[in-house]
Amino acid sequence: QYLPEWRRAIALAVEEGRLPRQDMEPTEFGKIYPHWGLKHLLYPNEVYQGLKNVSIARNNRKQDELRPVDPQRFVSTAERLLDGQSPHEWAVGLLALTGRRFSEGIAKGEFKPTTHPYAIAFRGQLKKGIQNPEDAQTFVIATLSKADKVLRAIERLRAHPRVQELAGLTPDEINSRSNTTVRHTIKREFEDTGIIPVLEGEKSVSAHNLRGCYAEIAIHFFCPPNQGAHRFIQAHLGHVIGEQEMDCRKNAGATEHYFHYRLTDSAGTQLSQKGILLEQVNRLPIAIDDGIPQPERAEPQPERAERERLEDKPMATTRTKPTQKQPSRSCVATPLMQQLKRAAASRLKIPKTATTAEFFVRVIAYLEEEPPTQDQNNPTEPKITSDFDLNALAPTFQWFTTEIERLRQEKEALERELEQVRSSVQTKNLEVERLRAEAEQFQQVRQMLGSISGVSGVGGAVAMTTPTAFRSVPQAAPTPRRSTEPAPRRQSREDAGEKGKGKIDEAIDLITSWNDNPAVEHNQKWFISVPVLLQLIRGSGYSVSQGRVQEALKARGEEIQQHHAAHGLSQRHNARHTKRITDDITLT
């Protein structure tokens, strides 16, 4: 219970500079600790072995009682979240469709397209003990939705201002700021709807459970029928990376912790088929060539009678065929690709060190600007000036042609999407201008009321808090919320106590207004707690009991919890401050 808290406190103190960072020698496993307390404040090995035995027993019980999951509802819910309103919804949707961890999707992972429509090249996984991201290995992850759609969602997520604030943080810091909101989103979308049942011994559905469901569905979609499920999914979860390790290493023990579910359709019928999408797409690649995986040829399909029997099963989501015929994405044979690169190096001045992706871009641009010359004797055939086999070149040029058409379609779709975004931004700018004008009017009225109060002899300025509707209006700079009027006369303990009762809600509103100010940096914000409220109220000359503050916090608990989640504030956030809250905010 206590040792993890001590380690987290030491790590935070080192990060904030309250403890000196030390240059420790790496451990035998290559792990580098920034402080001796993190290196030596560990359990004995027998304790870790005991914890491992408990984990094994718990995992065995879960595998003896697999819980049902409908892949159609799971995937459709995740895709809907990609079109949601908040970055946390996008992040949860990506968790479900890629099987990657939250901090990897937010900032730490590197995602690149491949030639396979349901695969992404990924680098930067956590829990590997790698200190330098450049040393991380790249491997292929399967996507339960089209890879191009997933990549666009990742770009949109990382472009969001609230997500960009997390980019420079450590994975633990990212998780501490976002865990609450992510858990709420997972509970609302997957647990409360009954899509993912809670496993035995667990209290709720977690991000790890989403990863387990992802693994089962990826096997259902893409695992070749003649390959073991464990062998397949360990490669795409990153537990065993590369063809050489797949051939030589024993199966990863970590993969055992992802087989806790069984797939069923909407009628409850169990779905035991593997690789049902291999009829439409090639087998998922494992090897990485210049950062671009080359997909393998699809395996021979089962006999027609057996396939028709499988198709009779109700699989609306996974068996739906596209309404339009998709362009062929046939791959280029490796020997022919080497010939093409050598020829292009001299003809198109493409350097030999160019990656496959750069080669494709240059060749496609050349074909669009300067089509191959025609042979006068046979106008229908391109004139070939090298010793290439014409039959071998035919599918290659077909690939280039279909790729150009696909890129044109994507460009048109992106241009339409960009136009919609521009229109939406213009509408939001008009709304912001309207709110700013209303806020200015509100401030004028507030000043008038303060003047009237002074003329009528009422001691102090009129205490008014900014309504919620105006809290999001941008301000020029964070200005201390101090009263411009003279400090109120110190009242008796009894009078101050009575007046203090009404100041608790006002204090909460002032702190939320301060945090909502866009000009206030994250480290300047305040977590609303009993000590902070007592410090603010008593430091402003009022008296209130701790019990009344606790009652007020309980009454507004849900509102305050949502406020903390929106700003990424944790219970330990106020430790960042080196001053009292009354240096920023005071009650009038």
Side-chain angles (χ1 to χ4, degrees), residues 93 208 239 273 387 423 469 502:
H208 184 273
H239 296 160
Q273 306 99 312
D387 58 351
S423 176

Side-chain angles (χ1 to χ4, degrees), residues 121-157:
F122 171 77
R123 184 175 71 167
Q125 69 167 330
L126 303 176
K127 291 194 175 182
K128 279 289 184 181
I130 297 173
Q131 301 300 314
N132 185 4
E134 297 299 325
D135 297 334
Q137 291 178 277
T138 301
F139 60 95
V140 177
I141 60 173
T143 59
L144 304 185
S145 186
K146 285 295 186 67
D148 53 356
K149 180 177 181 180
V150 171
L151 289 170
R152 287 197 298 269
I154 293 173
E155 292 178 1
R156 184 171 73 251
L157 174 66

Side-chain angles (χ1 to χ4, degrees), residues 12-259:
L12 179 63
V14 172
E15 185 69 26
E16 294 179 347
R18 292 183 284 113
L19 276 179
R21 183 178 293 273
Q22 300 170 336
D23 296 326
M24 307 289 294
E25 290 293 330
T27 66
E28 57 180 322
F29 305 106
K31 178 72 173 179
I32 299 177
Y33 293 101
H35 192 272
W36 70 264
L38 297 176
K39 184 175 182 179
H40 298 295
L41 199 60
L42 299 170
Y43 294 116
N45 288 335
E46 55 269 21
V47 175
Y48 284 112
Q49 185 60 46
L51 294 173
K52 183 178 180 180
N53 292 338
V54 172
S55 176
I56 291 174
R58 186 184 300 115
N59 185 60
N60 290 342
R61 288 195 298 271
K62 292 176 182 178
Q63 290 196 7
D64 289 338
E65 189 63 36
L66 300 179
R67 299 301 173 89
V69 172
D70 183 348
Q72 176 181 352
R73 294 184 63 196
F74 182 91
V75 174
S76 61
T77 300
E79 289 179 333
R80 176 173 55 79
L81 289 175
L82 293 189
D83 298 324
Q85 300 298 318
S86 70
H88 288 96
E89 289 179 321
W90 307 340
V92 171
L94 290 170
L95 281 175
L97 294 175
T98 65
R100 299 319 308 163
R101 300 176 181 88
F102 178 75
S103 55
E104 292 172 347
I106 286 288
K108 300 304 178 184
E110 181 182 280
F111 300 85
K112 291 186 177 181
T114 72
T115 55
H116 194 286
Y118 287 93
I120 291 176
F122 171 77
R123 184 175 71 167
Q125 69 167 330
L126 303 176
K127 291 194 175 182
K128 279 289 184 181
I130 297 173
Q131 301 300 314
N132 185 4
E134 297 299 325
D135 297 334
Q137 291 178 277
T138 301
F139 60 95
V140 177
I141 60 173
T143 59
L144 304 185
S145 186
K146 285 295 186 67
D148 53 356
K149 180 177 181 180
V150 171
L151 289 170
R152 287 197 298 269
I154 293 173
E155 292 178 1
R156 184 171 73 251
L157 174 66
R158 294 185 171 185
H160 195 279
R162 284 168 58 185
V163 174
Q164 290 181 340
E165 292 179 0
L166 307 176
L169 303 181
T170 65
D172 289 340
E173 290 173 329
I174 293 174
N175 292 334
S176 66
R177 291 196 184 186
S178 305
N179 265 349
T180 301
T181 307
V182 170
R183 285 199 304 267
H184 281 302
T185 304
I186 293 175
K187 185 178 187 303
R188 182 184 70 242
E189 299 294 341
F190 290 96
E191 179 181 340
D192 294 345
T193 57
I195 295 176
I196 303 179
V198 179
L199 296 176
E200 179 186 354
E202 298 185 1
K203 297 180 180 179
S204 61
V205 175
S206 65
H208 184 273
N209 300 136
L210 260 66
R211 192 166 156 92
C213 294
Y214 157 86
E216 288 293 340
I217 299 174
I219 293 168
H220 182 55
F221 283 178
F222 306 113
C223 179
N226 62 341
Q227 185 179 21
H230 190 130
R231 297 280 299 164
F232 169 81
I233 200 60
Q234 69 180 358
H236 300 291
L237 287 177
H239 296 160
V240 178
I241 301 177
E243 290 181 315
Q244 183 175 359
E245 284 202 358
M246 283 289 290
D247 292 339
C248 302
R249 271 192 54 182
K250 68 176 183 178
N251 290 338
T255 312
E256 290 290 342
H257 294 271
Y258 293 94
F259 296 117

Side-chain angles (χ1 to χ4, degrees), residues 15 44 68 129 204 367 370-371 520:
E15 185 69 26
S204 61
L367 292 176
E370 184 181 347
V520 174

Side-chain angles (χ1 to χ4, degrees), residues 260-547:
H260 299 151
Y261 300 95
R262 58 186 178 90
L263 302 184
T264 63
D265 60 17
S266 57
T269 303
Q270 185 151 330
L271 306 172
S272 57
Q273 306 99 312
K274 295 190 297 186
I276 65 170
L277 291 187
L278 294 181
E279 297 179 7
Q280 303 175 21
V281 297
N282 290 330
R283 181 175 177 175
L284 287 175
I286 295 179
I288 304 293
D289 177 25
D290 291 333
I292 303 295
Q294 301 299 322
E296 303 174 15
R297 295 284 185 179
E299 289 190 333
Q301 302 302 318
E303 296 181 13
R304 183 178 183 84
E306 177 66 9
R307 184 171 66 250
E308 290 177 350
R309 184 185 68 80
L310 295 177
E311 289 176 347
D312 290 337
K313 296 288 184 180
M315 281 298 297
T317 299
T318 58
R319 308 289 298 189
T320 301
K321 294 184 178 180
T323 55
Q324 295 181 353
K325 184 177 180 180
Q326 301 297 319
S328 172
R329 299 297 302 276
S330 57
C331 62
V332 181
T334 301
L336 180 57
M337 176 58 68
Q338 294 173 351
Q339 283 185 296
L340 288 171
K341 282 188 173 182
R342 285 196 297 270
S346 59
R347 176 67 185 272
L348 303 181
K349 297 182 179 180
I350 300 177
K352 296 181 180 180
T353 57
T355 64
T356 305
E358 293 170 341
F359 171 79
F360 284 154
V361 170
R362 295 285 294 274
V363 172
I364 290 173
Y366 166 74
L367 292 176
E368 283 188 314
E369 297 172 1
E370 184 181 347
T373 57
Q374 302 294 322
D375 191 337
Q376 298 298 327
N377 298 327
N378 190 356
T380 62
E381 295 291 340
K383 182 179 179 181
I384 306 299
T385 57
S386 66
D387 58 351
F388 291 152
D389 181 3
L390 190 59
N391 293 328
L393 276 176
T396 302
F397 281 109
Q398 180 186 4
W399 188 93
F400 285 138
T401 304
T402 55
E403 191 72 5
I404 292 171
E405 183 60 30
R406 184 183 66 82
L407 292 174
R408 280 202 188 100
Q409 293 175 1
E410 287 187 2
K411 178 183 176 184
E412 293 174 358
L414 289 174
E415 287 176 345
R416 290 193 297 267
E417 184 178 345
L418 178 61
E419 188 60 33
Q420 293 176 357
V421 170
R422 286 174 176 168
S423 176
S424 176
V425 169
Q426 291 176 355
T427 304
K428 290 181 179 179
N429 286 339
L430 293 175
E431 181 68 13
V432 168
E433 291 298 328
R434 183 184 67 79
L435 289 175
R436 184 178 287 111
E438 291 183 2
E440 292 175 355
Q441 295 176 1
F442 175 81
Q443 294 296 339
Q444 293 174 2
V445 172
R446 182 176 182 176
Q447 294 173 2
M448 292 173 61
L449 289 175
S451 301
I452 294 172
S453 174
V455 172
S456 62
V458 179
V462 178
M464 299 181 65
T465 58
T466 307
T468 305
F470 298 114
R471 289 179 189 161
S472 61
V473 178
Q475 301 180 16
T479 56
R481 300 294 301 272
R482 295 181 179 274
S483 171
T484 56
E485 299 294 329
R489 177 179 57 85
R490 178 71 66 175
Q491 304 177 22
S492 67
R493 179 181 299 273
E494 181 179 355
D495 292 340
E498 290 299 321
K499 193 168 185 179
K501 296 176 184 178
K503 291 296 180 180
I504 301 176
D505 284 333
E506 182 179 348
I508 294 174
D509 290 338
L510 283 174
I511 297 176
T512 57
S513 179
W514 172 269
N515 293 341
D516 287 338
N517 190 335
V520 174
E521 297 181 358
H522 185 266
N523 288 341
Q524 296 175 322
K525 298 179 180 181
W526 291 90
F527 181 88
I528 303 174
S529 63
V530 173
V532 166
L533 289 173
L534 289 175
Q535 187 182 106
L536 173 57
I537 296 172
R538 293 174 180 176
S540 301
Y542 301 99
S543 176
V544 67
S545 68
Q546 180 174 334

